[in-house]
Amino acid sequence: MVKNLDTKEIWKFSKSFVKREGILLLACVLAVASSLAVVPKAEYIDWRVLVLLYCLMLVVGGFKKRRVLDNCAVRLLQRCISLRQITAALLLITFISSMLVTNDVALITFVPLTLIIGKEAGVDVGKIIVWQTLAANLGSMLTPMGNPQNLFLYARYNFDIIAFFKVTWIPTCLAVALLAVFLMRQQDRQLKVSLTSVNVECGWGLIVLNLLFLLCVVTVFHWFDHWLLLMITVTVMLVLDRGLFRQIDYSLLFTFAGFFIFIGNLTQFDFLNIIRDSFLGSATGTYFSAIAVSQLISNVPAAMLLAAFSQQREALLLGVNVGGLGTLIASMASVISYKLFAEAYPAQVRHYLLMFLYYNMIGLFLLVPAVYFLMLY
């Protein structure tokens, strides 16, 4: 009896872990399997990217714990008097914050706020959350720290900040136009939501977090040594809030390490040069390959995989960011908002998924050719 119970519990935990950490398991399996064929090398792992990710997660975790973003959102929403204004405010705060604290954090922070508004005002928020997901994925494309694939590509191809923004600012403007069109087509009505003010934990701790965030940014821009950043960030956080070390998403770091090893191993196979020469030797091939691969394995591993074989850095950067639209797994940030909605409205999951695909496919249909002809043709 006890043995059966233990077996059931283990099976339940295993299913939950696979569902939650599927990308991590895929990265580990691919790394181990490819290492059986070739000898992996330590230099495959890009420690600079891992250090930057780790430090940013610590600092952003500090901001989240002090509810800085929640405070900004509530203050903005308290000034809104209609459904369209509230929707615009939610899209705006999600879009802008994703540029600074990543699309994942933006959705984790603001989708719950949307769910609260929906239940208080009796509003169907499924469409708003789909648009928020689009706003997070599209807004995050502007900056190197907006999402993990940008951070990786910025370091991988040794971009400077001017060159990076030259690639991303036009697609970001197109994204604003797309979201504005969606917003204008929404039926409007008077709606005033009463939200409790959020108190921010001010003081020297918040000042220190701001300074650390600026230090992370200048390190991303290659103006500061990443190992020194790691030493400073860890030391400060041990004093400021050591509990944050237990809240870090370490699975993301291990996922990156696994893909680094797998992709490094792949580069040793000569037959893959055929794929590189056939599809990834041109900007057009790289752009459309990045979009296609992102639909299947999400845009972060797609960026890491294709970067090993393509020197078309602008095309790859554009492809994996635009490729974040489309299927639910094209961007793992989309899975976050889906899970939050599914927990709140389990009976509406099918409707949400259909609506998600509808708006994402519209986005792909409009942005893929527009970005291609404006930036690459």
Side-chain angles (χ1 to χ4, degrees), residues 197-249:
S197 298
V198 176
N199 294 320
V200 177
E201 211 180 297
C202 297
W204 69 273
L206 188 57
I207 295 172
V208 170
L209 283 173
N210 279 291
L211 292 174
L212 281 177
F213 182 74
L214 288 175
L215 198 58
C216 288
V217 171
V218 299
T219 306
V220 169
F221 295 163
H222 309 297
W223 299 340
F224 194 76
D225 182 72
H226 59 284
W227 291 115
L228 190 55
L229 170 71
L230 177 64
M231 184 179 67
I232 293 171
T233 303
V234 170
T235 303
V236 170
M237 285 303 186
L238 283 172
V239 176
L240 185 64
D241 189 351
R242 63 182 61 193
L244 287 172
F245 288 93
R246 296 191 297 271
Q247 300 172 19
I248 294 298
D249 182 11

Side-chain angles (χ1 to χ4, degrees), residues 55-274:
C55 292
L56 279 168
M57 285 192 291
L58 278 173
V59 176
V60 170
F63 283 127
K64 189 172 184 298
K65 191 171 183 178
R66 284 161 177 77
R67 306 192 69 185
V68 176
L69 295 176
D70 302 77
N71 178 267
C72 295
V74 168
R75 284 176 178 271
L76 184 61
L77 289 165
Q78 286 173 337
R79 292 169 169 78
C80 300
I81 59 172
S82 70
L83 178 59
R84 185 174 291 167
Q85 286 184 8
I86 288 173
T87 304
L90 287 167
L91 296 185
L92 179 66
I93 195 72
T94 304
F95 189 82
I96 293 176
S97 64
S98 68
M99 301 174 185
L100 302 175
V101 296
T102 76
N103 49 359
D104 294 14
V105 173
L107 291 173
I108 290 171
T109 303
F110 299 122
V111 168
L113 187 59
T114 306
L115 292 169
I116 291 171
I117 291 171
K119 289 185 176 180
E120 181 179 318
V123 176
D124 182 2
V125 293
K127 188 195 300 183
I128 299 175
I129 292 174
V130 169
W131 291 352
Q132 273 184 285
T133 306
L134 286 169
N137 286 330
L138 293 171
S140 65
M141 81 168 79
L142 180 65
T143 64
M145 55 277 187
N147 52 54
Q149 71 266 16
N150 280 8
L151 192 62
F152 166 74
L153 294 173
Y154 190 90
R156 170 82 182 194
Y157 290 111
N158 201 29
F159 273 99
D160 63 72
I161 192 60
I162 301 299
F164 189 91
F165 282 140
K166 280 183 178 179
V167 177
T168 59
W169 77 271
I170 290 180
T172 303
C173 292
L174 293 174
V176 172
L178 176 68
L179 293 171
V181 170
F182 288 158
L183 185 62
M184 288 301 103
R185 292 179 60 83
Q186 184 188 47
Q187 292 184 347
D188 199 16
R189 63 183 173 89
Q190 293 295 308
L191 186 67
K192 183 69 176 177
V193 179
S194 177
L195 294 171
T196 305
S197 298
V198 176
N199 294 320
V200 177
E201 211 180 297
C202 297
W204 69 273
L206 188 57
I207 295 172
V208 170
L209 283 173
N210 279 291
L211 292 174
L212 281 177
F213 182 74
L214 288 175
L215 198 58
C216 288
V217 171
V218 299
T219 306
V220 169
F221 295 163
H222 309 297
W223 299 340
F224 194 76
D225 182 72
H226 59 284
W227 291 115
L228 190 55
L229 170 71
L230 177 64
M231 184 179 67
I232 293 171
T233 303
V234 170
T235 303
V236 170
M237 285 303 186
L238 283 172
V239 176
L240 185 64
D241 189 351
R242 63 182 61 193
L244 287 172
F245 288 93
R246 296 191 297 271
Q247 300 172 19
I248 294 298
D249 182 11
Y250 290 99
S251 65
L252 179 61
L253 300 175
F254 286 113
T255 298
F256 263 77
F259 276 118
F260 280 137
I261 294 171
F262 169 62
I263 292 163
N265 289 338
L266 280 186
T267 59
Q268 298 188 46
F269 293 102
D270 293 334
F271 75 90
L272 289 173
N273 292 331
I274 300 173

Side-chain angles (χ1 to χ4, degrees), residues 273-287 289 310:
N273 292 331
I274 300 173
I275 298 175
R276 180 192 62 196
D277 297 337
S278 300
F279 298 101
L280 304 177
S282 67
T284 297
T286 298
Y287 176 70
S289 295
S310 176

Side-chain angles (χ1 to χ4, degrees), residues 5-52:
L5 180 63
D6 290 343
T7 303
K8 287 180 180 179
E9 289 297 322
I10 292 171
W11 175 245
K12 185 178 178 181
F13 173 79
S14 300
K15 283 179 65 178
S16 174
F17 182 81
V18 170
K19 189 175 181 180
R20 188 176 65 254
E21 303 293 355
I23 298 296
L24 169 62
L25 288 175
L26 175 64
C28 292
V29 168
L30 291 174
V32 172
S34 60
S35 296
L36 297 176
V38 295
V39 179
K41 299 177 183 178
E43 57 262 32
Y44 291 158
I45 297 178
D46 191 332
W47 292 103
R48 186 174 188 277
V49 172
L50 294 183
V51 166
L52 284 170

